[in-house]
Amino acid sequence: MFFRILKKDLKRKKTMNIILLIFVFLSVMFAASSINNMISVFGGIDYFFEKAQMSDYVILTLNSNGEDPTEDIVNNADAVKEVRKESIIFFSAKTLKKDGGKYAEFESPGLITSVDDAKLKYFDRSNHVIDELEPGHVYVGGILADPDKTKIGDEITMEIEGVTVNLVIDGYLKDALLGSPFMGNPRMLMSDEDVQTILSDEKVRNADCGSVYYIDTDDMKELTAQLAEVPNALFAQPASTLRLTFMLDMITAGILLIVSVCLILVAFTMLSFTIKFTLSEDFREIGVMKAVGLRNTSIRNMYMIKYLSIALVGAVFGYIGSIPFGEMLLKSVSDQMVLGNDNQIFVGILTAIAVVAVILLFCYYCTRSIRSLSPIDAVRNGETGERYNSKSVLKLHKSRLSSNLFLAINDVFSKPKQYASMIVTFTICLLLIQMLATTANTLMSDKLLFLLGTTRSDVYYSSTDKIMETMGNTDEETLPRMIKEIEDTLAENDMPGKVHIELQYQLPVEYKDNKIKVVMQRCSATKTTDYKYEKGTAPLYENEVAFTPQVLDELGAKIGDKVRIEIGGETKEYIVTATFVSFNQLGKTGRLHENVDIKDSDAASAFAFQIDFDDHPSAAVIDERIEKLKEIYKTDEIFNAKDFVDVSTNSAASVNMAKNMVLIISLLISALIAVLMERSFITKETGEIALMKAIGFKSRSVSSQHTLRFLVVIVIAQVIASILSYPFTKLVCDRIFAVMGAISGIVYEIRPFEVFVSYPVMLAMVVMVAAFITSQYMRTIHADAMGNIE
C-alpha cells in the first residue's frame, strides 16, 4: 500500500519532486567535489613537495663576478643536515624572441636549469618526471606555463650576452619552487648541451649565473640563524613559506565548499517548504488514513520512504557528477602541482551518504506536524475556521499602487512564513556573488597599493632587464644613470616627471638569541612617513626601523625593542618604531629609513620604476601616456596603479573565475526555486485564482500579480544582503588576504552599481522570467474550480 501511495504521489507532484531531486543532486555533487578538492589541495602541497624532493630550506643566490660565497657558509653551518646545489642562469623577457620580436612579457627574472644538474624533480602535465631532453628542446614553467603567454610547439630564440640558442617548447613543467603564480618567476628546463652553450660566454658566467641551495635540517631555528649571514641572497625561506605560495590555489576549492554548504542549506529550506506544503495539501488523505486506523508512525514512514527515494537517486547521480566536475574545478591547480588523493572514491561516497542522512533527519523533523492532524481535518478541508488577526497588512483604500502590485506586496507581507524560504535563499545567493565580486574588485584596485610597499605614482614601469643589470653590479652609478635616462626620455616626449624605485635587501636581523634573514625595503627618493603603518610611528631617524608583525613574531620582538641589523659588513642597533602589513614575501618584510647608508648594488631585487609626472595629469591623460611609453620602450609592462596591483597580486583572475561560476550556479538555483515555488502557489491557491477569474481578473493579470511577488521577495533579499554584505565579505575574504600576508588593514573596493544593482537586477530578471513562464499554468484553472480541493 505504501508503495502504491508513493507511486501516485510521485506522479501527481512531478514538477516539485523533480526540482527537489535536482537540489539533492547539486548538493551532493558540490559537496563531494569540493571536499575532495580541499583534501587534494591541502594534502596535495605536501604530496607534491615530497614527490619533487623539496628540501626544508631554500636559498636562491646571484653570483657576484662569478663568485658565490654562499657555498662555504652553507657547508660550514652545523645545522645543515644535507645540501644540494643547483646551478642556474638568469634570463629576462628581452632574451626570448620569435620571428624577430619579443616572445613573452614577464616582470621577474627567469631561471634556466640543466636537466642533468636538476636537484628537484620536475614533472610534465602528465605527472611524469622530466629527466631527459634533447638539445634544442625546452620545458617552461612558472608564469610561462600559461597558454595565454606561450604555446607548446613554438620555435623561439634565446639570446643572452650575444650567445644564441634555438629552442622548441616541448611542454609545461610542474615546479615545486616557482610553480605558484604568486612567485612570478618563469623557469626553463634545458638540455645540458644548450646550457653549456650559453655558459661559453664569460659575461654570462660573471653576471647572469646563480645557484639554488636545497637544504635539509633538524633544527630550523638554528639553521635560520646560521644562514642569516648569506650575502646576495635573492630568496631565502623555509619550505613552509613556499607552501603558502600555493595556498592561493585553495581559494576556488574553499569558495566552492562554502557554496556547497549554502546550497545544502537552500536544499533544506526548499525541502522544509515542500514537506510542509505537501502535508497541508494532503490533509484529506492523512485524515482518512488516521480514520481507517493507520498510526502516526506508519504515515510518517510513508513520507520518509518518498524522500529517501528522492535522496538516494539524487545522491547517486550527484556522486557520479562530482567526479568530472571536481576534475574540471581542479584543473588549474593540477596544472601546477602533482596532486594525490588515494581516498577520492571513499570520500565521495561518504559525503553522499552524509548528505542523504542529514536530509532524512531533516525530513523526520519536518513531518512531526502529522501528529497534530486528525480525521476531522478531512471534513473541515484542513481549516479550523479560526483567525484572530487581520490577514491584510496594507489598506487598499489608502494605496496608490496598481492592483497587481498591491496584491503582490500584500501577499508577501501578510504571509511572511510562506516566503521566508525564498528570502533566505535569494539572500544567500546575492551574498555569495557580492562577496566574490568585491574581493575580485579589491584585488584589482589601487586600494591595495600600500600592501606592495610602494608609494602612489602615476605610472609603474616594470623592466626585468634594468633590474637584473642593477643587481650585483658594483658600479654605483648604474641605477642613477637608468633613472636619469628614463627622466630624459620623458622630457623628450613632452611628459616630464620624476622617477624612483623601491629596492629590496636581504639583511640579517638579530634580536636576543634569534637571528633571521629579512627582506628590507628602502627608497632614497621617498620618506618613511609616506607609507602606511598599522601600529606605532614611522621611522624618523636612521637608527629606526619598521617590520611586519610576522617578522616581529619570529624574532620575539615588539615595538620599542632594539634589533641588530648588519649592513655592508657593519652591525648596528635599530629601534623598532612601527609595524605594517604587506604582501611582499608573504608578509615577512621590513622598512629602513631613507637615509640609511646602503649600496644600491647590494639590493637583492627591486620593484617597478615609479613615474610621477610634473603636471599632475588626469587618469585619462595618464592612460594615454602609458600607451605612448609602451611604444617607446617596446613593452607591455607599464601600468597605472590599479593594473600594477592586479599584475602584482596575480590573484584576481582566480577569484573572478569563482565569482562567475557562483553567479551561474546562483541564477540556476534561483530559477529552479522560482519554478518550484510558483508551481506550489498555483496548486495551493487554485480556489483563490478561480475566484479572481470569476470576478473579472484576466489570466495575464493574475500571472502578473504572481510574478511581482518574486520581485518583492528579491527586493527584500537585496536589502538584507546589502546590510550583511560588508561584514560577510570581511569574515570570509580577510582569510584570503591573510594567506597572502595582509593580516589586517584591508579596505575593500565596493562598486555600488555592480554589486548592489547589476547582479540583483540580473537575478530578478531570471527569477521573474521563470516565475512568469510557470505561472502560465494557471490558464488551465477556470472559475468553476473554486470548490475543488483535489
Side-chain angles (χ1 to χ4, degrees), residues 573-600:
E573 283 191 340
Y574 293 80
I575 301 172
V576 180
T577 64
T579 61
F580 62 97
V581 290
S582 176
F583 282 159
N584 298 330
Q585 303 293 310
L586 292 173
K588 294 183 179 181
T589 186
R591 176 164 294 282
L592 296 169
H593 190 268
E594 64 269 16
N595 293 333
V596 170
D597 185 17
I598 187 170
K599 296 178 180 179
D600 294 342

Side-chain angles (χ1 to χ4, degrees), residues 26 73 144 284 325 391 495 520 623 676 697 699:
L26 291 174
I73 297 175
L144 285 182
R284 196 175 206 187
F325 184 68
K391 185 178 181 181
M495 42 183 172
M520 304 296 297
D623 289 339
L676 172 65
F697 280 87
S699 291

Side-chain angles (χ1 to χ4, degrees), residues 519-787:
V519 173
M520 304 296 297
Q521 292 182 229
R522 172 187 168 273
C523 179
S524 59
T526 61
K527 296 182 179 179
T528 51
T529 52
D530 296 336
Y531 301 85
K532 184 176 180 180
Y533 299 90
E534 182 187 30
K535 295 180 181 178
T537 57
L540 300 177
Y541 304 97
E542 292 180 40
N543 67 333
E544 294 181 345
V545 68
F547 291 107
T548 58
Q550 292 94 321
V551 173
L552 291 182
D553 288 343
E554 194 168 345
L555 286 170
K558 60 183 183 298
I559 293 176
D561 288 337
K562 292 182 179 180
V563 299
R564 294 179 295 279
I565 304 177
E566 182 182 334
I567 299 177
E570 184 179 359
T571 302
K572 292 183 179 180
E573 283 191 340
Y574 293 80
I575 301 172
V576 180
T577 64
T579 61
F580 62 97
V581 290
S582 176
F583 282 159
N584 298 330
Q585 303 293 310
L586 292 173
K588 294 183 179 181
T589 186
R591 176 164 294 282
L592 296 169
H593 190 268
E594 64 269 16
N595 293 333
V596 170
D597 185 17
I598 187 170
K599 296 178 180 179
D600 294 342
S601 59
D602 289 339
S605 185
F607 281 95
F609 290 93
Q610 297 178 227
I611 301 173
D612 296 290
F613 296 115
D614 293 342
D615 56 350
H616 308 292
S618 64
V621 174
I622 290 174
D623 289 339
E624 291 177 4
R625 292 181 178 180
I626 287 174
E627 294 304 316
K628 190 174 182 180
L629 287 170
K630 287 180 178 180
E631 293 179 7
I632 293 171
Y633 287 106
K634 307 297 181 186
T635 180
D636 291 329
E637 301 298 309
I638 301 178
F639 314 100
N640 58 26
K642 289 184 179 180
D643 292 339
F644 181 64
V645 172
D646 185 17
V647 75
S648 297
T649 57
N650 205 19
S651 303
S654 298
V655 180
N656 252 327
M657 182 191 71
K659 178 200 71 177
N660 293 334
M661 189 180 301
V662 171
L663 176 61
I664 294 170
I665 293 166
S666 297
L667 294 177
L668 173 63
I669 290 171
S670 300
L672 289 172
I673 289 172
V675 173
L676 172 65
M677 298 298 285
E678 177 57 20
R679 189 69 183 82
S680 303
F681 291 153
I682 292 173
T683 304
K684 187 176 182 180
E685 299 170 8
T686 298
E688 296 176 20
I689 295 170
L691 176 61
M692 293 180 71
K693 288 190 174 184
I695 61 178
F697 280 87
K698 302 291 185 182
S699 291
R700 63 174 178 271
S701 179
V702 183
S703 177
S704 298
Q705 177 213 328
H706 277 231
T707 304
L708 287 171
R709 291 177 180 177
F710 290 88
L711 178 61
V712 174
V713 168
I714 288 179
V715 170
I716 295 171
Q718 171 56 14
V719 171
I720 298 172
S722 299
I723 295 171
L724 298 177
S725 179
Y726 185 73
F728 189 79
T729 299
K730 281 192 66 63
L731 177 66
V732 176
C733 298
D734 275 3
R735 275 65 178 172
I736 296 174
F737 290 110
V739 169
M740 300 169 70
I743 57 177
S744 64
I746 298 296
V747 179
Y748 287 92
E749 172 78 5
I750 300 176
R751 299 177 184 175
F753 181 80
E754 176 188 353
V755 174
F756 301 122
V757 178
S758 62
Y759 293 127
V761 167
M762 198 181 303
L763 188 72
M765 290 177 64
V766 170
V767 168
M768 291 180 69
V769 168
F772 178 77
I773 293 173
T774 308
S775 68
Q776 299 309 301
Y777 178 77
M778 69 178 60
R779 293 180 181 275
T780 61
I781 300 174
H782 303 289
D784 59 0
M786 284 187 292

Side-chain angles (χ1 to χ4, degrees), residues 74-87:
V74 170
N75 289 335
N76 293 326
D78 296 333
V80 174
K81 181 180 178 182
E82 183 183 350
V83 61
R84 291 167 286 149
K85 180 183 177 182
E86 184 178 84
S87 298

Side-chain angles (χ1 to χ4, degrees), residues 480-534:
R481 184 174 63 251
M482 288 180 183
I483 292 175
K484 180 68 165 54
E485 288 173 355
I486 297 174
E487 290 178 344
D488 289 345
T489 302
L490 293 173
E492 291 168 4
N493 288 275
D494 300 322
M495 42 183 172
K498 301 296 181 185
V499 179
H500 67 275
I501 187 169
E502 290 277 348
L503 298 178
Q504 293 182 317
Y505 303 84
Q506 285 269 7
L507 301 176
V509 180
E510 188 175 1
Y511 177 73
K512 294 183 178 178
D513 296 331
N514 296 323
K515 190 173 185 179
I516 61 174
K517 199 107 176 173
V518 180
V519 173
M520 304 296 297
Q521 292 182 229
R522 172 187 168 273
C523 179
S524 59
T526 61
K527 296 182 179 179
T528 51
T529 52
D530 296 336
Y531 301 85
K532 184 176 180 180
Y533 299 90
E534 182 187 30

